[in-house]
Amino acid sequence: MAISAGERGQAAIAELRPGQRFEGRYACVRKDRLTARNGGAYLSLELRDRTGTLAARVFREADRAGLRFDRGDAVLARGKLERFRGELAAELDDVRRLEPGSFDPAEFLPAAYRSVEELQGFLEHLCREVHDPGLRGVVERLLFAEPLASDFLRAPCTRGGHHAYLGGLVEHTVSVGTLVGELCQLHPRLDSDLLMAGALVHDVGKTREFTYEAEFGITDEGRLLGHLAIGAQMVAGAAGGLPAERRLALLHCLLSHHGPEAGPGRARQGAGSGARGFASAEALALYRLNALDASVKGALEHGLG
């Protein structure tokens, strides 16, 4: 049965139950053409909305149905729920692509559990912990001026790793900034202004790294340059009024936050265990704190395997 263009059903995946007929708008995140025992072709799909994922299959006119959409498309689907090998699954009567512009990507993309407004408040508090007016001005120009402020609150940190959801970037940034505050109390010789400013802007390039459709994608800029180079360009543009030494120290923190092998200066020998390649204790600290939050969050979300 065909689905009319005017139908806009919204059956949330988390609310679906066996035996129920349903209709809704979802992201198609997997699409495989398989062969059944009788030799006929069928489609094996995975559908997703903000509440969860659902396995689905199309048996009737599978090849014809498969021409209507691709993996990564937003689709309108109709069918019936059943139990298959102990898991909830859907047998679809019809599935077809939604036209770009006819849906809000937020319908399908995972989002932060924490309130983005609350996270924004924490971000503003952390910015006030940067007492150097020049460095604070850089942070404010990058994170609190539109349109970049909205982009920063929307962006994920990754497409499928840690914090891979809308609001993931600000959540990760707040976490790293909070760790900075704790570390600077333990080690008061650290330049807390430099380290906090570095923590707040270290991933700012991710605001230009992703696209938003039924799934997160990568922009041409993100694919060709990556968020380190993009972020360095953005910070350099916002930090033109800083003394050269201060500007370079901030850029070094940003470019080294994935480790010295990811940025310049890899031949330098720093002081202390594990400090090779870092020009400052603050750059080393940011690298460690960023890795701590990312790895712990990744373990909690995806396990330790």
Side-chain angles (χ1 to χ4, degrees):
M1 181 183 299
I3 299 174
S4 67
E7 289 175 309
R8 291 293 181 265
Q10 269 307 105
I13 287 175
E15 299 172 355
L16 298 177
R17 297 293 180 266
Q20 174 185 352
R21 292 200 63 82
F22 75 99
E23 179 182 297
R25 295 148 62 101
Y26 310 102
C28 176
V29 297
R30 180 176 57 80
K31 176 189 176 187
D32 296 315
R33 182 185 184 276
L34 303 177
T35 302
R37 291 181 179 178
N38 64 6
Y42 72 96
L43 299 179
S44 176
L45 312 176
E46 184 176 341
L47 305 179
R48 185 188 67 204
D49 66 9
R50 292 184 65 178
T51 70
T53 60
L54 174 69
R57 296 172 295 172
V58 180
F59 290 105
R60 189 170 61 185
E61 298 184 321
D63 287 335
R64 184 176 179 181
L67 296 175
R68 297 173 182 160
F69 67 98
D70 291 312
R71 179 195 174 282
D73 283 342
V75 299
L76 189 60
R78 171 188 287 161
K80 184 176 180 180
L81 277 301
E82 58 184 24
R83 286 282 180 188
F84 179 69
R85 296 176 180 173
E87 299 292 334
L88 188 66
E91 184 172 331
L92 301 181
D93 302 322
D94 197 23
V95 55
R96 62 184 62 215
R97 177 175 180 262
L98 292 169
E99 291 300 319
S102 68
F103 60 90
D104 181 354
E107 294 179 45
F108 314 113
L109 297 174
Y113 292 109
R114 298 175 65 181
S115 162
V116 172
E117 290 75 18
E118 177 188 17
L119 290 166
Q120 184 181 26
F122 280 115
L123 190 68
E124 293 170 351
H125 166 74
L126 292 169
C127 181
R128 289 193 290 271
E129 295 298 306
V130 182
H131 302 290
D132 180 313
L135 286 173
R136 184 192 288 191
V138 172
V139 175
E140 290 174 343
R141 284 190 289 277
L142 287 170
L143 304 190
F144 300 108
E146 294 294 352
L148 187 54
S150 295
D151 294 339
F152 193 86
L153 296 178
R154 178 175 69 157
C157 247
T158 65
R159 296 170 67 194
H162 71 94
H163 300 87
Y165 42 77
L166 295 171
L169 176 58
V170 64
E171 184 178 307
H172 170 63
T173 301
V174 165
S175 295
V176 176
T178 301
L179 291 170
V180 165
E182 297 297 321
L183 185 67
C184 288
Q185 291 188 43
L186 294 171
H187 297 284
R189 291 174 59 191
L190 285 168
D191 184 335
S192 61
D193 288 338
L194 174 62
L195 182 51
M196 183 64 78
L200 297 182
V201 303
H202 77 280
D203 271 343
V204 69
K206 292 187 176 184
T207 59
R208 289 171 20 193
E209 189 173 24
F210 301 104
T211 62
Y212 304 85
E213 296 295 338
E215 292 187 285
F216 294 119
I218 298 292
T219 63
D220 289 340
E221 188 178 21
R223 178 175 56 85
L224 296 172
L225 299 182
H227 75 278
L228 292 181
I230 298 169
Q233 291 177 356
M234 297 170 72
V235 168
L242 290 180
E245 181 180 357
R246 204 67 162 154
R247 182 174 67 254
L248 291 173
L250 180 60
L251 286 168
H252 176 67
C253 286
L254 184 153
L255 288 168
S256 301
H257 81 263
H258 282 179
E261 68 280 359
R266 64 192 64 176
R268 279 190 302 268
Q269 174 67 51
S273 176
R276 181 187 298 274
F278 293 99
S280 68
E282 291 75 22
L284 170 63
L286 179 57
Y287 162 62
R288 295 295 189 187
L289 296 179
N290 174 70
L292 174 63
D293 183 63
S295 59
V296 170
K297 183 67 171 179
L300 292 172
E301 293 176 334
H302 306 295
L304 296 170

